[in-house]
Amino acid sequence: MDNAIRTAEHLARLAGRREALTASLAAIPPGGWVWEIGCGHGHFLTAFAQAHPETVCVGVDVTGDRVERAARKRDRARLSNLHFLQADARMFLELLPAAATLAAVYVLFPDPWPKKRHHKHRLMQPDFLGRIAARAGEGARLYFRTDHAPYFAAVQAMMAAHPAWRVVDEVFPFESRTVFQERAGEYRSLAAALRL
């Protein structure tokens, strides 16, 4: 009986998160969004939004404290085009309003889950890339950066084989050093374009 109660509580919390995320997403202007997955304290996306005031920027992170700190940065900078949400990336894609598309997606220094038995927990997976592609607009780009060489090699091979994406030889269109980037001795970057 105890498991049934915990399950019911978990499902109620999940429903509450879905409802709150749906309301938050509905309040953001539609169009082609720049989306940062795992926005942390918002350093990168705040700088991006300042440099691109006409672009709707949305950052998500699963940790509430990070999102609160990012929102404070946004508020101090008075950026009406910048939105931070506490959300799982998969739920975000599932609940994304029909009028919103993704113009660019940034995945900067995600957890590499280095142990082989944990690779299933990595964010960058073929099915997830397919879900992003389904919501991406024409000409969309996906930008990935990591300091973990094996993860980079795995993502590079995954992108090369993916039917919805192709690796392109181009630099990131915007640079702003993140906390992880400052800590990393070396890192590698990849850009991918949505296939027509």
Side-chain angles (χ1 to χ4, degrees):
M1 192 59 137
D2 190 37
N3 283 343
I5 292 171
R6 283 200 306 262
T7 299
E9 290 171 347
H10 172 73
L11 292 174
R13 279 193 305 273
L14 191 59
R17 286 183 198 145
R18 292 174 64 84
E19 185 177 326
L21 181 57
T22 299
S24 294
L25 289 169
I28 300 173
W33 296 356
V34 170
W35 181 34
E36 185 184 8
I37 304 171
C39 63
H41 298 151
H43 295 97
F44 173 82
L45 204 57
T46 299
F48 187 99
Q50 285 175 317
H52 302 87
E54 74 292 343
T55 303
V56 174
C57 302
V58 182
V60 299
D61 204 288
V62 294
T63 306
D65 177 59
R66 292 178 190 159
V67 172
E68 288 172 13
R69 289 180 67 175
R72 286 196 297 268
K73 282 183 183 64
R74 175 204 58 213
D75 295 345
R76 281 193 301 269
R78 299 178 187 208
L79 296 170
S80 61
N81 64 321
L82 179 58
H83 309 271
F84 290 110
L85 307 172
Q86 183 177 359
D88 170 81
R90 287 171 181 81
M91 186 184 289
F92 174 91
L93 281 174
E94 179 188 337
L95 300 177
L96 194 62
T101 58
L102 303 173
V105 179
Y106 286 86
V107 184
L108 307 175
F109 300 95
D111 190 334
W113 293 96
K115 294 181 181 177
K116 187 168 185 171
R117 70 179 185 271
H118 294 153
H119 286 185
K120 64 186 174 200
H121 299 300
R122 287 178 170 175
L123 176 67
M124 301 296 276
Q125 301 285 347
D127 68 318
F128 184 64
L129 294 173
R131 290 180 189 178
I132 293 173
R135 297 308 315 268
E138 185 177 341
R141 295 290 193 264
L142 190 150
Y143 301 102
F144 173 76
R145 180 170 284 166
T146 183
D147 59 344
H148 191 265
Y151 193 15
F152 180 82
V155 170
Q156 192 172 38
M158 189 185 310
M159 286 292 199
H162 203 281
W165 297 98
R166 62 184 174 85
V167 176
V168 292
D169 183 20
E170 62 185 46
V171 298
F172 278 32
F174 182 80
E175 289 287 351
S176 179
R177 294 184 69 80
T178 66
V179 172
F180 284 106
Q181 194 166 326
E182 292 289 341
R183 293 178 186 161
E186 293 183 352
Y187 57 86
R188 297 175 185 190
S189 305
L190 176 146
L194 187 67
R195 291 185 190 274
L196 296 177

